[in-house]
Amino acid sequence: MSDQVLVSHDVPLQSWSDAEALTPSFGAKGARLFALPRAWCPPFAVVSAKTVAWLAASGAETSRFFADVLSPIAQRLRVETDEIIVRSSVVGETIWDRGTYKSIVLNVARRDDLDAPLLDAIREVSKSAGDHDCAIILQTHVFPEEAGEFGNLLRVSRTRDHWEYSIRTTDPVIQTERFNSQRDIAPPADKPLRARVGLPRERLFGSVAAWINNELLRGVRTRVNCEWVRRGELFYIVQIDAEDDDLYGVNPMQLHIEPSVSARNDSGQLLIAADVDRRGDWDKLLVLDELYEENSAVAPKLFFLPVPTASKGNLEQLESEFTVLLNKNIVVRTSVAAGQEKVTNLPKTDCMTPKKAADWCVEQAARLAELHPEKSLAFVAHRYIASRSSAWVRADPDSPIVEMHGTWGLPDALQFCPYDIWDVHIPTEEVTEYTNYKSNVLLLQADGTWKYERVKNEVARFQSINRNDVLDVAKRSFDLATRLGKACHIMWFVGCRTDDENSINLPWYWTEAHDTENPDRGNLQIMTIRNTADLSKIAEMKRRYPRLAVLLQPTSVELLRDNGFLFAVAEIVRPMSVPVILSGSTLAHAFFQLRKHGCVVISEVEKDHLRTRRQTNFGKLVRDKIPEKIARQQEQQSVATIPKSARVGFLIGKFLEEILEAREATEMKDRRTELADVFEVLRAFITISDETLENVVGEADKKRNKVGGFDGGKLLLETSLPKAQSGTQSKDAIISSGTLAEPSGPRTYRVPFSYFGFAEIGQLRTLRFAGTNSYIQLSLQRDCIEISLLEEPTQLSLGV
């Protein structure tokens, strides 16, 4: 192949690996186009990065190359329009760089003035790649009537057969749907992708997905995202990106967590420790009494500073005390005296140095004295609570199930970002988990600000909180709700570090529980709101898109805690009946505020999950006190009482179950326990038969003396009358399970109980019927026998 320019119709369809081999010269974006059927793509050519660098740097000597090569190719790309699109294909570009580099649409109707505009476009597009080597794609420009993407990226699902497609418009509105491609049939690669009447959009994309998974990427673990356009009834794929390794994301599980929980409880002259006697003075200190037991060693260390004492004359002393007591990453909030009416929007800070904290307190004290002269105010200071993860928990003293939402990093991310869910059944400690894709983590930066960091793609579906911490937080939340005597939502810092590097979990704030009912999302057209400027566009989008919904994804950290932003959203969407889609926790503050303001709020995460543990079927005889134990654990149960006249059959089944469990026990202690269960079933059988244990044991001893016991392991296979003069004889036989089961009819097998003497738990045994392609598979389980009726596949005649 040429190392300068490759043209789509001159290059045969490439395998994925062959296309990948072209990426060092032609970039991933351009090289992967050669792995797509030509009938599915607008015609294209790719100019190598080496050639582009020469074109960008050379002068007059490029004219012959344009006249002989590029201009004729550009003219060949005029198919339905007089336009081509000049696109970048940067060497080393990944899916995470999408949208970074420039594209230019050129009119190529007149050949005599094409060279200069084409050269300018190539140079401008390659310039957008900066220092990276950049190949160039020249492609027929299909002006789209519709455009969008479809892909099976990890954020969509754990499995490669689950896909999501989106439809973009020229407006900031997008519509998404998800589909499964397992039953779709790949379309012919030599025919265009064509819309048909009655063919749902997801089935068209599903067929392409089937071709990608089963033909293009067969044997390859890669996931992809495709960009598509539609003009008339024809669909085109214009780009296919692979989900490459994410080299720039962070792994939240590997981050160092700065110790932030100190054992110091000193008090300064100005900064006063919030000990037990002083917590009741200020509303933001009351939480310590509510969330922590008296003299708790793990309660965060808070200090308060009455506003009048934060004067310029005390500035030097205040800085010194901030240095000694808190040292760094100091957070200051403003509190009113306990019992006074609360004031909204009182000042608070991000992390500060001791000097900045002292300066801030003095500056704000003067301002607050003017704004609220009648209020008794104090600054409440503490060290920033660093933690591995954070959580909101719903606990109710009247319910045994605690619901927990968690994510990595700061708890403010739970307002608008995806999260994991756990349901914990407190009496049994059974945890039901729903792990979600979490693309970002909110982290403290070196300068004291907060910033979203992208999470490495390969760990984005890992659980953000381990099971031990989930259980600890759930149990303590249930105890808190019980102590408070009401259903509540509690915010937690999870995985904090003490000065001696121990890991602890800290409750930080609680509020009374609110309703979290989730309406159906339906088929909505979604506009993403990233900042306050986007709010002004909602009314116009509602006029154009009747099924409009807004998705809140603020990019500014300042908006995460801004109640004014949520109020502004509500004031716009509520009169127009536009629902709000929220990726954040339904237990967190943003959900509550939007609902309080009358908004219809749809949770992206909640809608796909059952909130109760799945039903478990048993159908087994249990000991008499087991239902009482289940009731004490506050689990629902369904129990039937078997009439005495029918119990014998159930006891026989239970005896087989228990004797199998005894056989599987390998440790002496475990086997003794299982044999005790066997004995208990036998004792129940004796009782229901109106006998006594003493009588049965006596009869057993008599029979043992007469014909022996079962200690020798003798298996009688067959008997017959001896032939004349042959005498009687006994012979040892070699046996297997096949010698025990035998057909007793065309479709009947006789299977003695001893057939399972050779069977291991879960081992498959096969019984075949002569003259048919049918057979039975038996599998002995601990509490049942599984039976499967199967047929051999029929070999089709290929003919001649």
Side-chain angles (χ1 to χ4, degrees):
M1 291 184 183
S2 168
D3 62 353
Q4 291 184 312
V5 184
L6 298 180
V7 182
S8 57
H9 289 127
D10 297 337
V11 179
L13 182 64
Q14 302 290 293
S15 69
W16 184 260
S17 59
D18 287 341
E20 291 293 277
L22 296 173
T23 58
S25 296
F26 297 93
K29 194 185 302 180
R32 288 168 182 160
L33 285 175
F34 291 103
L36 295 173
R38 301 296 177 264
W40 299 0
C41 300
F44 64 92
V46 187
V47 185
S48 71
K50 182 177 180 181
T51 303
V52 170
W54 171 66
L55 292 173
S58 302
E61 63 268 29
T62 64
S63 59
R64 180 169 294 277
F65 182 76
F66 270 90
D68 294 344
V69 180
L70 289 189
S71 291
I73 289 174
Q75 294 297 339
R76 286 178 62 186
L77 297 178
R78 293 174 54 196
V79 181
E80 295 182 4
T81 70
D82 288 330
E83 292 181 335
I84 64 170
I85 184 168
V86 182
R87 305 165 59 202
S88 64
S89 182
V90 178
V91 176
E93 181 180 1
T94 71
I95 194 171
W96 315 105
D97 300 318
R98 282 188 306 164
T100 303
Y101 307 113
K102 197 167 187 177
S103 297
I104 295 175
V105 176
L106 279 182
N107 189 293
V108 294
R110 293 161 48 196
R111 178 174 176 173
D112 56 357
D113 64 353
L114 175 60
D115 291 1
L118 184 56
L119 177 59
D120 289 342
I122 290 174
R123 287 176 171 172
E124 188 174 347
V125 170
S126 63
K127 184 179 179 181
S128 72
D131 296 332
H132 301 289
D133 292 339
C134 180
I136 291 293
I137 302 170
L138 307 177
Q139 190 167 31
T140 300
H141 182 234
V142 177
F143 185 80
E145 297 175 13
E146 277 189 323
E149 302 175 7
F150 67 96
N152 64 347
L153 304 179
L154 187 62
R155 68 167 180 81
V156 175
S157 174
R158 292 181 182 274
T159 64
R160 296 170 67 243
D161 287 316
H162 284 103
W163 296 69
E164 179 182 81
Y165 80 85
S166 63
I167 302 174
R168 296 193 305 267
T169 67
T170 54
D171 298 315
V173 172
I174 190 169
Q175 182 174 333
T176 62
E177 293 292 338
R178 293 193 175 186
F179 62 91
N180 190 305
S181 66
Q182 284 181 323
R183 296 183 179 272
D184 288 302
I185 300 172
D190 59 347
K191 294 182 180 179
L193 299 174
R194 193 181 301 274
R196 300 198 310 270
V197 176
L199 179 69
R201 187 69 56 84
E202 59 267 25
R203 297 283 64 86
L204 173 67
F205 293 132
S207 66
V208 178
W211 180 85
I212 291 173
N213 275 345
N214 294 298
E215 297 188 39
L216 178 62
L217 297 177
R218 186 174 183 179
V220 181
R221 297 179 64 88
T222 302
R223 294 167 180 255
V224 297
N225 191 76
C226 301
E227 295 186 18
W228 61 271
V229 297
R230 180 184 66 81
R231 185 173 179 82
E233 62 178 6
L234 294 181
F235 285 79
Y236 299 96
I237 300 176
V238 295
Q239 186 169 319
I240 179 169
D241 294 305
E243 194 165 41
D244 311 87
D245 289 339
D246 187 358
L247 301 179
Y248 297 100
V250 300
N251 183 342
M253 296 174 288
Q254 296 178 335
L255 295 174
H256 171 70
I257 304 301
E258 185 78 18
S260 58
V261 182
S262 174
R264 292 179 61 97
N265 200 27
D266 302 340
S267 189
Q269 297 178 6
L270 301 175
L271 289 175
I272 304 169
D275 55 29
V276 175
D277 296 332
R278 305 304 300 268
R279 291 176 185 173
D281 295 348
W282 307 99
D283 70 332
K284 284 185 169 56
L285 299 180
L286 289 173
V287 68
L288 294 177
D289 277 338
E290 294 169 329
L291 296 182
Y292 293 91
E293 296 179 356
E294 188 172 346
N295 299 320
S296 171
V298 296
K301 306 306 175 187
L302 273 61
F303 299 85
F304 68 91
L305 168 71
V307 167
T309 63
S311 62
K312 289 185 178 180
N314 290 330
L315 183 59
E316 186 175 340
Q317 174 67 23
L318 186 56
E319 180 182 345
S320 174
E321 292 188 10
F322 271 128
T323 301
V324 171
L325 298 175
L326 293 173
N327 186 27
K328 61 180 179 179
N329 292 336
I330 300 167
V331 178
V332 184
R333 297 176 292 159
T334 309
S335 176
V336 299
Q340 289 190 0
E341 183 179 354
K342 293 187 178 183
V343 180
T344 60
N345 296 321
L346 288 173
K348 55 188 174 183
T349 75
D350 289 332
C351 294
M352 300 186 295
T353 62
K355 178 174 180 13
K356 287 185 177 180
D359 289 342
W360 185 89
C361 289
V362 170
E363 177 185 342
Q364 291 297 325
R367 177 173 171 270
L368 289 170
E370 294 181 8
L371 293 176
H372 306 286
E374 77 289 356
K375 293 290 184 182
S376 179
L377 301 173
F379 296 119
V380 174
H382 60 88
R383 194 188 300 179
Y384 161 77
I385 309 294
S387 63
R388 176 80 55 201
S389 308
S390 51
W392 274 97
V393 182
R394 187 186 195 282
D396 185 342
D398 296 326
S399 171
I401 295 179
V402 170
E403 182 178 359
M404 180 172 171
H405 297 176
T407 191
W408 291 299
L410 293 165
D412 294 77
L414 286 166
Q415 304 283 15
F416 297 103
C417 296
Y419 53 94
D420 298 324
I421 303 174
W422 297 266
D423 282 340
V424 182
H425 188 256
I426 297 299
T428 61
E429 297 187 357
E430 182 172 336
V431 179
T432 305
E433 59 208 28
Y434 308 97
T435 308
N436 289 295
Y437 185 91
K438 301 168 292 298
S439 57
N440 291 282
V441 56
L442 187 61
L443 296 176
L444 176 69
Q445 305 300 301
D447 61 359
T449 60
W450 300 355
K451 182 182 177 183
Y452 281 121
E453 300 274 2
R454 193 175 74 237
V455 172
K456 275 186 177 292
N457 186 60
E458 56 266 31
V459 302
R461 279 195 179 274
F462 287 11
Q463 287 193 22
S464 54
I465 302 176
N466 65 49
R467 189 178 188 276
N468 288 339
D469 285 333
V470 167
L471 281 173
D472 175 65
V473 170
K475 289 178 181 178
R476 290 168 61 190
S477 295
F478 183 78
D479 291 342
L480 283 171
T482 302
R483 189 164 71 246
L484 295 170
K486 61 184 69 177
C488 54
H489 293 172
I490 306 165
M491 192 187 86
W492 286 79
F493 292 104
V494 182
C496 303
R497 293 282 173 180
T498 63
D499 287 340
D500 54 3
E501 292 291 342
N502 288 322
S503 178
I504 60 172
N505 305 316
L506 296 178
W508 183 249
Y509 176 77
W510 78 273
T511 183
E512 290 194 34
H514 55 254
D515 179 27
T516 59
E517 180 182 354
N518 189 32
D520 183 23
R521 176 169 176 169
N523 188 20
L524 298 173
Q525 298 159 311
I526 302 169
M527 175 185 177
T528 302
I529 304 298
R530 294 186 169 88
N531 50 55
T532 53
D534 290 337
L535 299 179
S536 61
K537 306 171 187 175
I538 296 176
E540 176 61 23
M541 293 303 104
K542 176 61 176 177
R543 285 191 287 271
R544 297 185 189 181
Y545 302 97
R547 300 192 309 276
L548 184 72
V550 296
L551 171 64
L552 297 188
Q553 289 185 346
T555 54
S556 168
V557 175
E558 285 71 26
L559 293 180
L560 293 179
R561 296 173 293 174
D562 187 353
N563 288 336
F565 170 66
L566 296 173
F567 180 75
V569 171
E571 287 295 288
I572 293 173
V573 303
R574 187 181 59 245
M576 294 185 288
S577 299
V578 172
V580 177
I581 299 175
L582 200 62
S583 298
S585 168
T586 56
L587 305 181
H589 187 67
F591 184 93
F592 170 70
Q593 288 293 322
L594 290 166
R595 289 289 296 269
K596 185 179 76 170
H597 294 317
C599 297
V600 175
V601 186
I602 300 170
S603 171
E604 279 199 312
V605 175
E606 289 288 318
K607 68 182 180 67
D608 291 330
H609 296 298
L610 298 173
R611 304 311 318 137
T612 57
R613 187 184 65 182
R614 292 178 179 176
Q615 176 178 312
T616 303
N617 297 319
F618 290 99
K620 60 193 294 184
L621 199 65
V622 296
R623 289 176 178 265
D624 296 337
K625 295 183 179 180
I626 292 297
E628 296 176 15
K629 180 180 178 182
I630 294 173
R632 287 196 300 272
Q633 294 175 168
Q634 302 182 55
E635 292 186 74
Q636 295 181 340
Q637 58 181 311
S638 177
V639 181
T641 301
I642 304 164
K644 187 174 181 179
S645 59
R647 289 179 197 172
V648 171
F650 286 89
L651 286 169
I652 293 171
K654 189 67 177 179
F655 188 84
L656 292 172
E657 176 190 332
E658 298 296 353
I659 204 72
L660 282 172
E661 291 187 359
R663 186 186 79 166
E664 293 302 307
T666 56
E667 299 292 333
M668 180 63 72
K669 180 181 178 182
D670 295 336
R671 178 161 289 189
R672 186 182 302 117
T673 300
E674 298 300 342
L675 287 172
D677 291 337
V678 173
F679 183 74
E680 193 60 48
V681 177
L682 181 60
R683 181 152 52 188
F685 206 149
I686 292 171
T687 300
I688 204 170
S689 301
D690 295 326
E691 269 294 351
T692 64
L693 180 62
E694 291 77 10
N695 288 343
V696 172
V697 171
E699 188 65 25
D701 288 341
K702 284 170 41 178
K703 200 165 186 178
R704 183 185 183 92
N705 291 332
K706 185 177 180 180
V707 294
F710 296 99
D711 305 320
K714 304 297 182 182
L715 183 66
L716 181 64
L717 297 178
E718 61 182 31
T719 62
S720 62
L721 294 176
K723 295 180 180 179
Q725 299 178 349
S726 64
T728 60
Q729 59 181 345
S730 176
K731 59 181 181 180
D732 291 333
I734 298 174
I735 59 171
S736 67
S737 61
T739 64
L740 298 176
E742 59 181 2
S744 58
R747 290 186 175 273
T748 307
Y749 257 94
R750 178 181 177 275
V751 183
F753 293 119
S754 55
Y755 175 82
F756 294 101
F758 294 94
E760 301 292 335
I761 296 297
Q763 183 181 19
L764 290 175
R765 298 286 183 183
T766 302
L767 305 176
R768 299 185 179 276
F769 294 100
T772 73
N773 62 345
S774 300
Y775 61 98
I776 291 173
Q777 279 189 340
L778 303 178
S779 175
L780 185 65
Q781 304 297 325
R782 288 183 181 274
D783 58 352
C784 68
I785 299 173
E786 290 185 355
I787 304 173
S788 302
L789 176 62
L790 303 169
E791 290 189 3
E792 297 281 9
T794 302
Q795 178 66 49
L796 299 178
S797 174
L798 299 179
V800 179

